[in-house]
Amino acid sequence: MGFTIAIDGPAASGKGTISKAVARHYDFGHLDTGLLYRAVGRRMLDGQEPVAAAKALLAEDLAADGLRIPEVAQAASKVAVIPEVRAALVDFQRAYARRAGGAVLDGRDIGTVICPDAEAKLFITASAEVRARRRYDELCANGVQTDYQTVLADTRERDHRDSSRADAPLLAAGDAVVLDTSDMDIGAAVSAAIAAVDAAYARTHG
Ligand code: CDP
Ligand code: CDP
């Protein structure tokens, strides 16, 4: 039987790291849905029309290098505003969510739009300053030249665009467990996430 874990949250809240650890813990598959939008954003930067690019996207395109840079993140949040782009990506995400053996999907609208019936829902957040610091450290570690103020401005701009769009905005589902990781390290955040999923499992199977 399928079991879907929906993990949403803003940029650098830790949802990707938590999702990977949760998927490993339960031996579930993991889909980082941000990569879908990043791949479409990459193609827009390369001159393609975003809706056509979203319709033509293949699973193997998500493994492409170069999707984790700030320029592509901004392009991703711009194409993510287009309802036809979002619509083109729905079926792939829903099919993944229902794969046998369980699935973790992380993004912005998994618990609200893609998988409103997910058995477990988490919304991971942290202050913009903490998130920008994490992303800045990560970019530096990967050799990307930037400064903290630029990353903070970038984070705020993307938060605003993602939260204010009409179609599938960044929003905690009413039935999501909200986890503020501002003062948590990764180990504590993963433990809290697993405890919340265990509780949801006990509720649905208990
Ligand atoms: O997927 P998302 O953009 O939400 O964040 P991430 O890629 O999981 O995390 C961004 C960076 O913050 C990574 O380098 C994590 O190791 C770090 N992080 C952290 O230091 N403490 C946390 N509680 C969560 C994430
Ligand atoms: O890791 P980070 O949170 O910085 O970004 P991401 O999850 O890779 O998402 C990049 C952009 O894609 C976001 O800023 C959103 O605009 C968009 N996105 C979305 O609209 N819906 C999703 N389910 C996932 C990402």
Side-chain angles (χ1 to χ4, degrees):
M1 197 193 68
F3 190 92
T4 306
I5 304 173
I7 303 189
D8 292 303
S13 54
K15 63 190 178 302
T17 310
I18 290 170
S19 298
K20 273 193 210 86
V22 166
R24 206 178 306 121
H25 180 82
Y26 295 104
D27 198 20
F28 283 8
H30 169 224
L31 178 65
D32 172 353
T33 67
L35 285 179
L36 298 166
Y37 295 90
R38 285 174 184 258
V40 176
R42 172 79 265 166
R43 281 161 179 67
M44 180 182 74
L45 294 174
D46 293 341
Q48 290 185 38
E49 196 283 313
V51 178
K55 287 181 176 165
L57 208 63
L58 300 170
E60 49 267 35
D61 296 333
L62 308 184
D65 290 335
L67 296 180
R68 298 275 179 207
I69 58 172
E71 189 192 8
V72 170
Q74 283 293 352
S77 83
K78 288 179 185 161
V79 300
V81 168
I82 306 168
E84 293 84 354
V85 166
R86 306 199 70 84
L89 303 175
V90 166
D91 289 349
F92 177 75
Q93 295 175 83
R94 289 199 178 136
Y96 192 92
R98 282 294 149 203
R99 73 199 281 281
V104 181
L105 282 80
D106 76 284
R108 299 290 186 291
D109 62 339
I110 307 304
T112 50
V113 174
I114 301 297
C115 304
D117 298 328
E119 283 79 8
K121 296 183 187 179
L122 297 175
F123 190 85
I124 314 296
T125 188
S127 72
E129 290 77 11
V130 165
R131 290 185 287 114
R133 171 61 59 186
R134 289 176 184 164
R135 190 49 45 91
Y136 171 72
D137 289 346
E138 190 178 45
L139 289 168
C140 289
N142 291 323
V144 178
Q145 295 278 345
T146 186
D147 61 86
Y148 172 74
Q149 288 305 331
T150 302
V151 177
L152 179 61
D154 221 61
T155 302
R156 290 205 165 113
E157 185 185 337
R158 208 141 58 85
D159 281 357
H160 177 71
R161 197 182 296 118
D162 289 348
S163 304
S164 61
R165 68 179 174 231
D167 190 15
L170 167 66
L171 187 72
D175 53 352
V177 173
V178 178
L179 210 61
D180 188 329
T181 69
S182 300
D183 298 318
M184 286 184 195
D185 64 16
I186 269 294
V190 168
S191 298
I194 289 172
V197 175
D198 278 348
Y201 187 86
R203 256 197 319 280
T204 51
H205 291 76

